[in-house]
Amino acid sequence: MATPKILGIETEFGVAQVGSFGDPIVQSSLLVNAYAHASAGRIRWDFFDETPQRDARGATPLDAMPPMVESNLANTVLTNGARFYVDHAHPEYSSPECSSALEAVRYDVAGEWVLRRAMEAVRSYAPQAPELVVYKNNSDGKGNSYGCHENYLIARDLPFSDVVAACVPHFISRIIFCGAGKVGADFPDRHGQIPAFQLSQRAEFFEEIIGLETTVKRPIVNTRDEPHADPSKYRRLHVIAGDANLAEVATFLKLGTTALILAMVEDGHLDPTPLWPADPVHAFRAFSADPSLSAAVDLDRGGSMTALEMQWVLYEAAVAYADRFGLAVLGADGSGALTLERWGRALHALEVDPATLAHEVDWVAKRRLVEGLRDRHGLAAQDPRLEAVDLQYHDLRLEKSLAARCSLERLTLDADVRSAETAPPRTTRAYFRGMALTKFRDAVDSANWDSVVFDVGEEPLRRVPMMDPTKGTAAQTEALFDRCSSARELVAELEGEEHHGRA
Amino acid sequence: MAEREQIRRRDGRDDEQVAQSTPQTTGGEHGEKLKADLDELLDEIDEVLEDNAEEFVRNYIQKGGE
């Protein structure tokens, strides 16, 4: 039986100041701190047990460049269970742990609202200063990329090589429905050519098949082994090969299909070996540079395949898997069935005519604007206005965002997103973290993914561990929060439970 | 499938040509509708797009992240 697919998305946002250059670290800190002050005050992030340099393949290779540990400049935990902080030179929103793709979409969109509110908060503190603008994209078109990482809970005893075998074909081919689109390229291809339009913002930044790094020599499958959970039971698959999406359907499909494929791997239902490309890194770029979706790449076993053909094989396997195993591990809200339905529908539409997905898939929506503008004004392929369309598609200010003008299909309701900006998911440990902050903010010393540290007014500080992401849900702790009127009572009850062996 | 094929040919770059050749059919009306939608959208884009595109794009420089 597959592990419940607890999942979430971390997004690093681009940041720029209108009409001037500034220090992006200062700008990012301003955004995070202004939001924290405007909402409810700041709770420290607890760095205990952060080990981003641990490698899923075993020992850390000597030639691996360990990722930098994030700065402690501006670092907050939100009442919805998310982490909002400065990572390198970007504001980053890490969504709380969710138990379904639909829920994770809601919390991803809530992240956009957080950044929008952060921009407004900065503006109200410093109305005379040049406006700070946030972009939900992954590349500046000049060789710099910043990530949108997905996380999925998987079983520790699953051989990592099985995960790699399934994920490589999926990650390089899923961009046909979850690529965010890109005008031109950051780098010429191996023939010195710049493609006019790419499916993915990120594909050309990948240089390895598998590895530990995230900022240099980026690997298609990242091996960071930092479970933020009981390491004897779980892994957290840290996916760095995706784009940040504005289209909710694209975000949903990215999460739903990947979770489903991981469940198939856990249940031994998928044999992905026929899909393994002869050169996966080249295949990723070749697929990205081909909006006609006709490019076929050589396979390791001989023959060749298009991205769409790879996706059809994975989809057909998923349909058979669902028949046999059901889709309960993808959440209790119907996300599993909806994933299958929308996945099949998207592949069919891509086969018949990708342009019909202009309201569901970012690269299609963006390409329609780019080609429409080009044709209307007779622009050359290198005209900066086309790149401007690309960039401004991702502007999070509603009055400027081009994505917001594309009538993208919504899977969320505004009322639910508004609630998700402040209230945690009810179905994972994020509920405990979020409720602790909501109800006992003054008594929370710090928090991180797998614990909350309380200051109950007497020594020592009390750390409540949350080593299982599926525990600490509303079903398990809502009554506890209801009957405790102080953090001291809450901690006493929890310690009592532990004493009696019930935790 | 036939209907989808029509949509394909009427969308995007072949818009005008196809709309001109089959203006009487229902598909033609659908093509006109798609074109009108796109025109309206492009009017809005022209209005909201940053004025100095070249400078706007040139000044957007980020540090690598992750």
Side-chain angles (χ1 to χ4, degrees):
Chain A
M1 180 68 183
T3 312
K5 284 287 151 281
I6 306 295
L7 45 91
I9 298 185
E10 351 161 355
T11 307
E12 293 175 357
F13 295 86
V15 58
Q17 202 151 18
V18 173
S20 65
F21 295 99
D23 180 342
I25 300 173
V26 172
Q27 293 168 345
S28 303
S29 304
L30 255 176
L31 286 161
V32 172
N33 287 330
Y35 180 84
H37 287 288
S39 50
R42 234 183 106 173
I43 290 294
R44 252 168 11 96
W45 185 260
D46 176 8
F47 282 94
F48 185 77
D49 209 30
E50 293 250 324
T51 52
Q53 70 280 16
R54 192 170 293 157
D55 196 312
R57 295 165 297 187
T60 303
L62 288 174
D63 61 344
M65 181 181 288
M68 288 202 308
V69 171
E70 295 90 349
S71 80
N72 200 7
L73 270 178
N75 218 323
T76 63
V77 192
L78 308 183
T79 53
N80 72 355
R83 181 186 184 193
F84 184 37
Y85 66 117
V86 178
D87 191 3
H88 300 281
H90 300 272
E92 172 160 340
Y93 169 88
S94 292
S95 82
E97 306 90 329
C98 299
S99 65
S100 77
L102 275 175
E103 190 172 57
V105 170
R106 198 153 64 237
Y107 280 89
D108 183 63
V109 179
E112 296 174 16
W113 288 36
V114 166
L115 268 299
R116 209 169 282 137
R117 211 180 289 274
M119 283 190 279
E120 286 160 11
V122 170
R123 209 179 332 181
S124 70
Y125 282 130
Q128 307 304 326
E131 188 177 6
L132 272 185
V133 183
V134 175
Y135 296 85
K136 192 185 185 190
N137 63 359
N138 303 103
S139 147
D140 67 357
K142 300 166 187 72
N144 302 306
S145 187
Y146 32 100
C148 174
H149 300 171
E150 307 137 63
N151 295 291
Y152 303 89
L153 192 69
I154 56 176
R156 171 60 58 175
D157 57 13
L158 183 65
F160 200 70
S161 54
D162 290 1
V163 175
V164 174
C167 283
V168 166
H170 183 52
F171 292 168
I172 65 172
S173 60
R174 68 179 185 164
I175 57 173
I176 61 177
F177 51 74
C178 61
K182 184 182 203 167
V183 171
D186 283 65
F187 311 104
D189 67 17
R190 58 186 183 181
H191 305 296
Q193 303 294 309
I194 300 277
F197 191 89
Q198 295 191 73
L199 306 188
S200 161
Q201 293 250 310
R202 293 270 287 167
E204 60 178 318
F205 288 94
F206 285 78
E207 301 174 67
E208 308 279 342
I209 300 169
I210 171 169
L212 185 58
E213 294 83 0
T214 59
T215 57
V216 291
K217 295 203 301 187
R218 292 183 180 86
I220 296 169
V221 176
N222 182 245
T223 54
R224 181 182 296 183
D225 188 7
E226 192 186 12
H228 296 313
D230 179 353
S232 67
K233 200 171 166 192
Y234 297 121
R235 273 182 206 282
R236 169 180 66 112
L237 183 66
H238 184 237
V239 178
I240 68 169
D243 288 358
N245 294 106
L246 276 312
E248 295 182 10
V249 175
T251 306
F252 174 75
L253 282 173
K254 174 171 72 178
L255 294 165
T257 61
T258 305
L260 183 41
I261 283 166
L262 291 169
M264 284 196 272
V265 175
E266 285 182 321
D267 283 325
H269 180 81
L270 183 67
D271 172 18
T273 24
L275 304 179
W276 189 265
D279 181 347
V281 171
H282 168 69
F284 199 8
R285 292 185 196 193
F287 286 157
S288 179
D290 173 42
S292 77
L293 307 185
S294 59
V297 300
D298 291 340
L299 298 174
D300 199 42
R301 281 192 169 181
S304 63
M305 218 178 238
T306 66
L308 191 52
E309 285 165 347
M310 282 187 188
Q311 281 296 315
W312 274 123
V313 172
L314 294 167
Y315 168 77
E316 297 296 349
V319 170
Y321 171 81
D323 275 350
R324 189 164 152 213
F325 292 86
L327 294 169
V329 293
L330 298 191
D333 60 3
S335 282
L338 190 62
T339 295
L340 269 191
E341 183 202 327
R342 298 302 300 245
W343 190 5
R345 226 202 294 171
L347 296 185
H348 180 73
L350 287 166
E351 190 160 285
V352 175
D353 179 9
T356 57
L357 291 172
H359 305 295
E360 291 152 69
V361 168
D362 285 304
W363 74 262
V364 180
K366 185 188 283 182
R367 187 167 180 242
R368 179 166 175 249
L369 299 183
V370 168
E371 298 194 341
L373 210 72
R374 182 196 66 193
D375 294 351
R376 168 180 277 203
H377 301 299
L379 305 179
Q382 300 78 21
D383 194 289
R385 272 172 285 182
L386 302 182
E387 270 186 74
V389 169
D390 182 345
L391 183 50
Q392 205 175 323
Y393 182 87
H394 303 272
D395 190 327
L396 281 187
R397 295 171 298 175
L398 288 178
E399 69 274 17
K400 287 287 187 179
S401 162
L402 301 192
R405 289 168 166 73
C406 289
S407 310
L408 296 170
E409 181 186 340
R410 296 281 306 266
L411 296 176
T412 61
L413 298 172
D414 278 352
D416 293 338
V417 178
R418 193 172 303 122
S419 155
E421 197 191 331
T422 52
R426 297 173 58 81
T427 49
T428 68
R429 68 181 173 194
Y431 182 80
F432 184 85
R433 182 186 315 119
M435 289 307 292
L437 286 171
T438 304
K439 227 183 148 185
F440 306 120
R441 171 172 291 279
D442 293 344
V444 176
D445 172 77
S446 60
N448 67 16
W449 298 118
D450 54 29
S451 67
V452 176
V453 177
F454 291 94
D455 179 352
V456 298
E458 63 190 39
E459 293 294 320
L461 295 175
R462 310 296 174 83
R463 176 186 297 273
V464 176
M466 301 186 293
M467 297 308 282
D468 193 325
T470 67
K471 293 185 178 152
T473 63
Q476 290 161 331
T477 65
E478 189 169 30
L480 179 70
F481 279 106
D482 282 348
R483 69 176 175 265
C484 291
S485 57
S486 70
R488 181 194 292 257
E489 270 180 58
L490 180 82
V491 170
E493 274 219 38
L494 287 168
E495 286 174 353
E497 278 185 28
E498 195 173 11
H499 186 67
H500 293 103
R502 288 191 290 133
Chain B
M1 188 64 110
E3 171 65 15
R4 303 199 87 124
E5 286 295 329
Q6 284 188 345
I7 292 169
R8 166 159 59 174
R9 286 192 291 110
R10 291 203 172 81
D11 206 37
R13 278 168 289 187
D14 296 334
D15 260 0
E16 276 177 70
Q17 192 190 339
V18 178
Q20 275 167 10
S21 61
T22 56
Q24 310 303 328
T25 64
T26 321
E29 280 167 26
H30 186 65
E32 291 293 338
K33 169 84 168 67
L34 283 180
K35 182 160 164 40
D37 286 350
L38 181 59
D39 276 341
E40 204 176 309
L41 179 59
L42 292 176
D43 287 344
E44 221 185 321
I45 303 298
D46 275 334
E47 195 139 306
V48 76
L49 193 65
E50 297 289 347
D51 286 331
N52 190 341
E54 194 169 355
E55 192 186 324
F56 168 56
V57 168
R58 193 177 53 230
N59 288 352
Y60 186 76
I61 300 171
Q62 300 291 303
K63 295 212 162 155
E66 304 166 81

